[in-house]
Every structure is written in structure tokens, then in C-alpha cells.
């Protein structure tokens, strides 16, 4: 870090510096056309926000009219806590709004999707699809799904690398009304099996492999292994990406007598390019996406069609200031396996008719400037990534972005975890050349889209704050008993009104849905607020500052993990008797994973076992869940009532010299032993 940087960080930290919204900003860059921002001023933002809360039905009804509906709604919102129904009685189709609407309007030959593969030998492999070309592929695959017996309402599991076919599969599901359940390609066979069983899914779409940092991720092998752990899967459709050796299952996997494995290209060859979009009720499910909670079992978050569509469309439009016909090129670096990819690679961006980029691989392959080379070559105007990536870029050095012309960039975004002011400043300077507004967007899998966020070139920004609520979002900081907190007092973040993207449930678990989100905070009259699980404070300007999770969920590199999930994975190993997992500060990941483990008799607390346990967690969940630190300990610190004292473990993992209050600790000798336990 240079001295100039360091002094700036100090300024930020001490003066809580505010960045003027339009300082140095221009809506047009080389190649891009000038645009007038959708929201012109803070005054207009405040007016629109006030209207969205006072008259949600009027506000969202007007917005929804910008999209295509087969049948209009009878009522915009039907709210009976905790159940929200949006656009009641209307029918629409999200794949139609992503594709057909533009073709019908004469834009069929505009660019919809740009894809770049990871391998670089002989230059990057790039594919481009117009709306017409993409629709043809989507319709073909929709017909493939139908030919395999998939009907409206059947859950299709998708476990794919970041290839165009992944977006095609997702949109094909939306076209025929088969909710998809996308599983991130980094998850393990057991994680696949759990999700497939939970959703009672009979078909999975995968690939032979995917490229990541020069190696092949063995997706088909993982699916084969998952199939030995669950018996609901009748069909496995395999896209050929890497040409690696895979095993093939010719036999039927069920009594229907169909063979199990199919090549994507064989099925596509016979499929027709014509597949009318199913008329979906606004409240028909669009997808389920699993995310971690406080128990060992991930929850299937359910989103429906109409509200999700309107909310992701509008947030994409306003938060990134997207305009068709302005030569904008939008790139979100997330994987479609996460909600960020669902909402801000595919569903929210495509209805805005701005081309969206998908990149297959790692940010540092073959060299640490790969992202900047993509920005330069594709003249990216909008770039959306996670703080963990920004911190990695900082570490790799300024020379990598400096090698490239980044002048096309207009708006920068961040998501997934709080961004530290140092990373914010680096992003602002080195990537944005002090000309691009940064939108720090706070939201969740459950919210479908942005909730607290600046509007670019409108909202003054402060490094580390996600600023103000988006339209329709009534956010507050409250105490445990629902009382609104004064400025600069930490509390629980709560959302008072339903918004169109609010989750509609947890698949198969109504009780958990109510417990987790709608029971913890209530107003004086007993009306429940939505509880996201985050702590936050609001400053004197009304700006929100997220302080992190207040439950046993940790945020590792912007990905949510339940500490219980990792603990269950650890204790499922024969050597482990008891395990406690906590988050700890991590330079790149934001939060790392620290595990405290007690072993059964006859097991040696050594490096070999440590390695084995890490691998074991990787096999049970996925590489992202592997602990950064494993400490062997004879006992875990517990209160007299038998609860593990996680606060104390967090202090120890963080290397805090003076650990927190230990007056309730049952056995003081445990503490001394814990301190001796070596990290590794
Ligand atoms: C949790 C949601 C939203 C897509 C990616 C993660 C944390 C998210 C921010 C932000 C501070 C953030 C919260 C939230 N989070 N964005 N801008 N500033 N924290 O989705 O896996 O559903 O996780 O990520 O803790 O609850 P997710």
C-alpha cells in the first residue's frame, strides 16, 4: 500500500468522508452514448421513495406496466402477514420478458449475452447471442425438458459451470414454468443429494466439467456420486464442455425404463426452436435457491414470478442506471449458482435490454489481470463484484489494472458483505479513476434484489455504507422488542412492509419461514417485521451501516454459511466427538472459518488429521466451507447450562488478548487449555 493510500484511509476513517455523487462522472464513455439518469436528483429520489411507501400499489403498478403481461392483475398487493401476493390474478412469463418482448419490439438482433470461457490458449473463447439467437436455444432446451417429461411445477436441478447453456437452462425452465433449483458448482455430491431430495427433483442438468483456474471441476463425477446418495433422479442431462473422461450411466435409474444419462447436444439436435411461453400466474413459483441458515440444514428459498420480475427489473434499471440503445455493457462477476447471478446476470438485466456478460473462470487465470482484460476488450460500462474480490485485487497489486484501459467504466457495484473503507477507496481510485460512482448494495437471497443502496450519480456515498433504502423498502433499526433506535445506535435491521421480491416461503417448511423471518420483531400492535438477520446502525444522515450477522451465520467471501452446517460436517467424521465453529477476521475473505474440535479416544491431534478434516468438510459441503483454522482442544468452553460460549471462541480465534466476560464459564481450566491449543 502506498503512503497516499494510507493517509486517505485515515481521512475516511476519521472524517467519515462523503463523496459527491457526480464528481467527475459522465454518463457516456468511449463507445457509450450519453444518457440522462433515470433519477435526476436526491429530491426526486426522496419523492419517489415517499410515494412508494405511501402508495405501494400505485407505485408498483406503474412500474409493472413497463413489462409484458398476458393478463393484467386484479389487485397489485394482497398482504396478510407473513404472506404477500403481488399482481394478483395476472399472468406473465419471465423468459418472455427477457427475450420475446425485445424481439417483438424489433430488437431481435441486439446483443443479449456475451460469454467468455476461461482457457486462454490461442486467445479467449468468446460467444455472443442476440435475443433471437438466445430465444432459439432457450426454446429448444425447453422442448428438451418437455420431452423428458418435465411439466409445469416440476423442479429442475441445474449444476453447471458458467457457460451460456447455464443461462439457457435457467430461461428454459422459466419458459415452461418448471421451477429451477440451481446448485453452485462448488458444492459437493452430498450437498447436491440433500438439495435434490429436499426439492423432490427428478432431473438434473450438468456438464462433464467446467474450467476453473486451469483445472477441470468434475461436475459429472459429483452428480454420479450424488446419485448414489439419493434415488429421485430419473434424468441427468450432460453438456459437453471440457471433453474430459466421465462415466456414463446407460441403464434406467427407475422403473419407468428411461435411460438415465443424456448428452445435451443429442437432445438439442432433435428439438424444435418453437416453444410458446407458458402463461404463468404471478404467484407461480419461479425458482427455489438454497441458502444457509442457523441449523445444519440449508433452506430452499422460494421466489415467485411476477413480483420477482418487477423488483429485479426495477432495481437493475435504477441501481445500475441501465439504458438500452446506449452501448452499455453490463458485467456482474458472480456465479449464476448464487442469487446475485440469478437476479443480476439474468432476470433483472435482460428485461432492461442491456447485454450481460458471463465469464466462466477465475479472476486470476491465467494472470491476475484477467478481469481488467475483460473490461477493456468488451468495453464494460457496469461492473459488479464482491469486496472479497476487491481485496484480492489490492493484494495482487495496482500494476494489473493499470495495464488496461478501463475508461469505458461508468458504474461500479459491490455486494455480499460490508466493504471496508480501504477496499472502497482502492476500487474508487484504481478501477474507477475517481470518476465512477460506487453502489454498495445490501440485500439477500430472501429479498430477491437490492434493498439498501445508493443510486449512481444521485446519492452521495460514504465508504462502507450501503446508504439509503430502495423504492418500496421501509427499513428501520430496532431493539429486540421492536422499538426504533436513535441515530448511531446499533440494533437489528428490520423491514416494515412487504416489497415485490420478498421470499414467499421456505420449501416444505412453513414453520421455519415464520420463525426465522417473521417472529423475532413486531411493532406495538403485534404486526411482524421482516427480520433479515443483520445488525446495523443508521447515522445522522439516515445512512445505513451494516454491522454483520447477529445469528450463527457467517459470511465467508460474500457467501453465507451456517456454523452449524460446518459443525455437523465435522462431527460426521469418525475422529470428532464435538465441534464448535465460529467466524474470525480474514484479510481477503472478510470472515474466515475457525473450528474447535475435540477428538475421540485413540485419535492423534496432528497435521494429518487436520488435513483429513478439512477434506472431509469439503466433501460434505464444498470447498468454501473448509475451515481456515482447526484447533484441537480437550473440551469446549460451556456455560453452566451447557451452552457453548461462542463469543469466547470468537475472541480466541481472532487472537484477542483479553477475552470477553467468562464469569459464566463452567470450567475455568478449559479456557487455559484453549489458549494453548495451536491454530493450524
Ligand atoms: C447476507 C446475505 C446479496 C447477494 C449476496 C449475498 C450480507 C450482503 C451486503 C452489503 C453488508 C452485506 C448480509 C446479508 N451482505 N450484501 N452490501 N453490505 N453486508 O447473499 O448469501 O443471501 O447473504 O450478506 O449479512 O444478510 P446471501
Amino acid at each position: 500500500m502506498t503512503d497516499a493510500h494510507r493517509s486517505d484511509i485515515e481521512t475516511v476513517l476519521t472524517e467519515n468522508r462523503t463523496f459527491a455523487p457526480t464528481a467527475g462522472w459522465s454518463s457516456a464513455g468511449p463507445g457509450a452514448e450519453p444518457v440522462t439518469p433515470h433519477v435526476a436528483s436526491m429530491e426526486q429520489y426522496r419523492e419517489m421513495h415517499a410515494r412508494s411507501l405511501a402508495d405501494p400499489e400505485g407505485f408498483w403498478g406503474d412500474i409493472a406496466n413497463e413489462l409484458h403481461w398476458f393478463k393484467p392483475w386484479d389487485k397489485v398487493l394482497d398482504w396478510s402477514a407473513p404472506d404477500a401476493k403481488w399482481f394478483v390474478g395476472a399472468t406473465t412469463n419471465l423468459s418472455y420478458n427477457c427475450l420475446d418482448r425485445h424481439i417483438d419490439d424489433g430488437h431481435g438482433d441486439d446483443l443479449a449475452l456475451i460469454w467468455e470461457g476461461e482457457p486462454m490458449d490461442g486467445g479467449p473463447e468468446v460467444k455472443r447471442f442476440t435475443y433471437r439467437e438466445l430465444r432459439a436455444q432457450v426454446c429448444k432446451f425447453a422442448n428438451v425438458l418437455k420431452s423428458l417429461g418435465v411439466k409445469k411445477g416440476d423442479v429442475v436441478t441445474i449444476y453447471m459451470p458458467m457457460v451460456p447453456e447455464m443461462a439457457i437452462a435457467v430461461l428454459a425452465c422459466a419458459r415452461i414454468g418448471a421451477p429451477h433449483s440451481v446448485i453452485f458448482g462448488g458444492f459437493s455430491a452430498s450437498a447436491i443429494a440433500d438439495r435434490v431430495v429436499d426439492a423432490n427433483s427428478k432431473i438434473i442438468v450438468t456438464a462433464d466439467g467446467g474450467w476453473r483456474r486451469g483445472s477441470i471441476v468434475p461436475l459429472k463425477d459429483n452428480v454420479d456420486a450424488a446419485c448414489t446418495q439419493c434415488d429421485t433422479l430419473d434424468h441427468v442431462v450432460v453438456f459437453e464442455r471440457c471433453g474430459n473422461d466421465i462415466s456414463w450411466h446407460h441403464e434406467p435409474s427407475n422403473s419407468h425404463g428411461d435411460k438415465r444419462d443424456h448428452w445435451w447436444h443429442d437432445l438439442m439436435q432433435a428439438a424444435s426452436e418453437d416453444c410458446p411461453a407458458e402463461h404463468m400466474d404471478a404467484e407461480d413459483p419461479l425458482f427455489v435457491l438454497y441458502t444457509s441458515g442457523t441449523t445444519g440444514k440449508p433452506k430452499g428459498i422460494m421466489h415467485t414470478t411476477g413480483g420477482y420480475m418487477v423488483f429485479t427489473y426495477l432495481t437493475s434499471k435504477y441501481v445500475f442506471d441501465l439504458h438500452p440503445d446506449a452501448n452499455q455493457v453490463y458485467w456482474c462477476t458472480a456465479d449464476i449458482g448464487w442469487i446475485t447471478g440469478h437476479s443480476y446476470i439474468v432476470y433483472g438485466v435482460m428485461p432492461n435490454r442491456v447485454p450481460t456478460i458471463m465469464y466462466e473462470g477465475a479472476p486470476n487465470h491465467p494472470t491476475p489481470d484477467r478481469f481488467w482484460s475483460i473490461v477493456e476488450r468488451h468495453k464494460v460500462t457496469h461492473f459488479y463484484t464482491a469486496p472479497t474480490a476487491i481485496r484480492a485485487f489490492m493484494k495482487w497489486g495496482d500494476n494489473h489494472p493499470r495495464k488496461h484501459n478501463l475508461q469505458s467504466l461508468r458504474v461500479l457495484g459491490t455486494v455480499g458483505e460490508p466493504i471496508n473503507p480501504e477496499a472502497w477507496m482502492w476500487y474508487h481510485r484504481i478501477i474507477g479513476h475517481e470518476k465512477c460512482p460506487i453502489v454498495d448494495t445490501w440485500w439477500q437471497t430472501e429479498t430477491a434484489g437490492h434493498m439498501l443502496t445508493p443510486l449512481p450519480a444521485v446519492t452521495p456515498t460514504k465508504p462502507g455504507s450501503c446508504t439509503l433504502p430502495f423504492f418500496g423498502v421501509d427499513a428501520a433499526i430496532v431493539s429486540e422488542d421492536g422499538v426504533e433506535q436513535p441515530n448511531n445506535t446499533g440494533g437489528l435491521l428490520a423491514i416494515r412492509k412487504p416489497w415485490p421480491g420478498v421470499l414467499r416461503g421456505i420449501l416444505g417448511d412453513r414453520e421455519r419461514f415464520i420463525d426465522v423471518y417473521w417472529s423475532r420483531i413486531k411493532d406495538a400492535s403485534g404486526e411482524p417485521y421482516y427480520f433479515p438477520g443483520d445488525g446495523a446502525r443508521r447515522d445522522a444522515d439516515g445512512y445505513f451501516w451494516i454491522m454483520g450477522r447477529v445469528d450463527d451465520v457467517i459470511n465467508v467471501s460474500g457467501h453465507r454459511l451456517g456454523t452449524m452446517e460446518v459443525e455437523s460436517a465435522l462431527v460426521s467424521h469418525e475422529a470428532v466427538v464435538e465441534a464448535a465453529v465460529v467466524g474470525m477476521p480474514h484479510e481477503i475473505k472478510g470472515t474466515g472459518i475457525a473450528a474447535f474440535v475435540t477428538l475421540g479416544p485413540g485419535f492423534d491431534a496432528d497435521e494429518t488429521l487436520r488435513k483429513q478434516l478439512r477434506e472431509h468438510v469439503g466433501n460434505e459441503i464444498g470447498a468454501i466451507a473448509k475451515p481456515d483454522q482447526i484447533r484441537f482442544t480437550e473440551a469446549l468452553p460451556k456455560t453452566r447450562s451447557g451452552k457453548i460460549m461462542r463469543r469466547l471462541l470468537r475472541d480466541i480465534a481472532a487472537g484477542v488478548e483479553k477475552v470477553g466476560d467468562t464469569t459464566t464459564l463452567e470450567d475455568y481450566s478449559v479456557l487455559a487449555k484453549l489458549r494453548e491449543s495451536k491454530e493450524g
Side-chain angles (χ1 to χ4, degrees):
M1 198 185 300
T2 64
D3 286 347
H5 277 157
R6 202 164 283 127
S7 66
D8 227 281
I9 291 159
E10 278 153 24
T11 320
V12 168
L13 294 177
T14 50
E15 287 178 17
N16 189 9
R17 193 165 146 193
T18 300
F19 286 76
T22 50
W25 189 71
S26 146
S27 68
E33 304 292 325
V35 296
T36 310
H38 293 298
V39 176
S41 64
M42 276 309 271
E43 199 183 4
Q44 192 189 348
Y45 157 74
R46 288 193 197 283
E47 261 169 39
M48 287 175 71
H49 186 255
R51 175 181 178 224
S52 72
L53 296 191
D55 176 22
E57 299 204 40
F59 180 88
W60 290 109
D62 286 352
I63 301 298
N65 275 321
E66 296 177 20
L67 295 164
H68 175 272
W69 303 80
F70 296 113
K71 177 172 170 281
W73 47 91
D74 305 317
K75 195 172 175 0
V76 173
L77 171 63
D78 179 353
W79 169 234
S80 164
D83 299 302
K85 295 197 180 86
W86 286 88
F87 309 105
V88 182
T91 61
T92 185
N93 186 290
L94 193 33
S95 114
Y96 191 96
N97 274 288
C98 286
L99 305 167
D100 305 57
R101 191 164 62 93
H102 308 317
I103 300 168
D104 296 348
D105 290 349
H107 297 290
D109 298 326
D110 288 9
L111 208 51
L113 178 69
I114 302 167
W115 171 81
E116 184 160 317
E118 189 190 76
M120 268 296 232
D121 3 285
E125 184 186 0
V126 174
K127 286 185 185 164
R128 293 187 172 83
F129 296 80
T130 63
Y131 292 99
R132 203 186 308 282
E133 289 163 345
L134 193 57
R135 180 177 66 177
Q137 295 301 309
V138 167
C139 286
K140 275 167 94 74
F141 196 65
N143 284 324
V144 163
L145 291 173
K146 284 186 184 172
S147 75
L148 295 175
V150 175
K151 298 207 166 45
K152 186 172 170 178
D154 293 345
V155 176
V156 174
T157 304
I158 297 174
Y159 179 69
M160 292 186 86
M162 282 285 283
V163 289
E165 287 69 17
M166 188 190 204
I168 289 165
V170 159
L171 288 164
C173 289
R175 195 152 191 100
I176 62 171
H180 48 74
S181 165
V182 183
I183 302 174
F184 171 59
F187 280 120
S188 68
S190 323
I192 301 169
D194 290 348
R195 287 157 174 76
V196 161
V197 169
D198 189 76
N200 188 26
S201 178
K202 299 195 165 46
I203 174 166
I204 184 163
V205 186
T206 187
D208 53 355
W211 290 106
R212 183 87 195 168
R213 216 161 275 126
S215 307
I216 293 174
V217 183
L219 299 167
K220 173 65 162 64
D221 292 353
N222 293 345
V223 170
D224 287 341
C227 285
T228 66
Q229 299 170 37
C230 66
D231 53 11
T232 67
L233 286 171
D234 293 344
H235 296 292
V236 177
V237 179
V238 187
F239 176 73
E240 187 172 23
R241 167 64 185 136
C242 301
N244 49 318
D245 269 344
I246 53 173
S247 58
W248 202 254
H249 193 100
H250 298 275
E251 300 305 311
S253 58
N254 58 18
S255 51
H256 312 230
D258 307 321
K259 65 174 187 170
R260 194 193 79 179
D261 291 356
H262 315 261
W263 281 114
W264 169 291
H265 52 257
D266 287 345
L267 297 172
M268 286 292 265
Q269 213 166 19
S272 144
E273 284 184 10
D274 183 27
C275 177
E278 194 75 33
H279 292 206
M280 302 301 292
D281 187 276
E283 285 298 337
D284 275 338
L286 178 68
F287 65 83
V288 51
L289 181 59
Y290 286 84
T291 189
S292 297
T294 54
T295 72
K297 192 175 173 288
K299 34 191 186 181
I301 303 301
M302 295 200 294
H303 285 290
T304 57
T305 306
Y308 176 86
M309 171 174 83
V310 172
F311 195 62
T312 56
Y313 160 73
L314 193 75
T315 46
S316 302
K317 176 174 171 176
Y318 283 14
V319 173
F320 299 121
D321 201 39
L322 296 184
H323 297 260
D325 306 316
N327 285 329
Q328 294 184 335
V329 178
Y330 168 95
W331 182 24
C332 163
T333 70
D335 191 292
I336 295 179
W338 307 107
I339 191 69
T340 308
H342 281 58
S343 298
Y344 299 113
I345 294 178
V346 183
Y347 286 131
V349 183
M350 286 189 183
N352 277 289
R353 195 160 50 83
V354 166
T356 184
I357 295 188
M358 275 176 83
Y359 167 59
E360 178 183 31
N364 56 351
H365 190 84
T367 45
D369 64 339
R370 182 60 185 268
F371 272 18
W372 318 123
S373 132
I374 293 176
V375 168
E376 178 172 20
R377 283 183 288 108
H378 297 286
K379 299 200 170 52
V380 172
T381 51
H382 293 70
F383 180 74
Y384 192 31
T385 197
T388 186
I390 298 169
R391 288 190 295 265
F393 298 137
M394 286 171 76
K395 195 170 153 192
W396 296 334
D398 300 0
N399 55 322
H400 298 295
R402 289 227 160 97
K403 269 186 266 180
H404 296 275
N405 181 347
L406 306 180
Q407 292 300 323
S408 58
L409 289 170
R410 307 267 73 95
V411 176
L412 303 176
T414 122
V415 58
E417 49 177 317
I419 182 165
N420 45 313
E422 293 87 334
W424 198 100
M425 284 307 301
W426 186 88
Y427 202 26
H428 175 65
R429 281 241 169 84
I430 307 298
I431 306 305
H433 294 276
E434 302 187 27
K435 289 190 293 205
C436 300
I438 294 179
V439 289
D440 175 353
T441 59
W442 176 88
W443 58 293
Q444 308 180 295
T445 305
E446 292 87 339
T447 70
H450 306 141
M451 298 293 281
L452 302 173
T453 176
L455 300 181
V458 176
T459 314
T461 47
K462 304 183 190 187
S465 168
C466 54
T467 74
L468 298 167
F470 188 72
F471 304 127
V473 176
D474 186 3
I477 307 290
V478 298
S479 64
E480 284 282 350
D481 38 18
V483 178
E484 197 154 355
Q485 296 295 289
N487 287 344
N488 284 316
T489 307
L492 304 176
L493 179 59
I495 316 291
R496 284 191 279 229
K497 294 251 164 49
W499 62 100
V502 63
L503 80 160
R504 302 302 198 266
I506 294 176
L507 188 64
D509 205 340
R510 174 84 183 164
E511 211 174 306
R512 192 173 178 193
F513 168 61
I514 295 171
D515 266 14
V516 175
Y517 304 109
W518 300 101
S519 306
R520 181 121 177 224
I521 309 170
K522 295 195 162 93
D523 73 6
S525 70
E527 170 87 2
Y529 294 164
Y530 172 79
F531 175 56
D534 280 354
R537 71 181 168 86
R538 218 170 173 171
D539 70 17
D541 297 324
Y543 277 43
F544 286 84
W545 298 77
I546 303 295
M547 292 154 68
R549 301 288 308 190
V550 295
D551 51 12
D552 290 328
V553 167
I554 51 179
N555 193 322
V556 181
S557 303
H559 300 310
R560 209 202 295 190
L561 269 178
T563 51
M564 276 270 282
E565 250 177 293
V566 185
E567 287 165 7
S568 319
L570 283 166
V571 297
S572 72
H573 189 277
E574 54 169 2
V576 178
V577 172
E578 200 175 26
V581 166
V582 294
M584 59 172 209
H586 189 286
E587 197 194 340
I588 302 291
K589 299 179 179 181
T591 306
I593 305 172
F596 295 79
V597 171
T598 57
L599 298 176
F603 290 97
D604 291 331
D606 58 16
E607 236 6 83
T608 317
L609 183 57
R610 229 181 226 133
K611 231 179 123 203
Q612 268 181 23
L613 290 179
R614 262 195 202 114
E615 285 311 308
H616 180 72
V617 174
N619 291 335
E620 288 295 301
I621 304 174
I624 49 166
K626 287 186 187 175
D628 296 282
Q629 217 185 71
I630 294 182
R631 293 175 187 243
F632 296 114
T633 166
E634 274 171 42
L636 290 169
K638 293 195 180 143
T639 61
R640 282 173 206 116
S641 58
K643 274 199 187 145
I644 294 175
M645 300 182 74
R646 291 170 182 284
R647 197 167 29 90
L648 203 143
L649 295 180
R650 275 195 289 268
D651 283 352
I652 291 170
V656 174
E657 266 310 304
K658 204 169 153 299
V659 296
D661 183 13
T662 55
T663 47
T664 52
L665 186 63
E666 194 226 3
D667 175 2
Y668 281 93
S669 66
V670 168
L671 183 58
K673 285 186 193 137
L674 267 175
R675 283 194 159 292
E676 284 158 21
S677 70
K678 275 216 317 269
E679 66 189 85

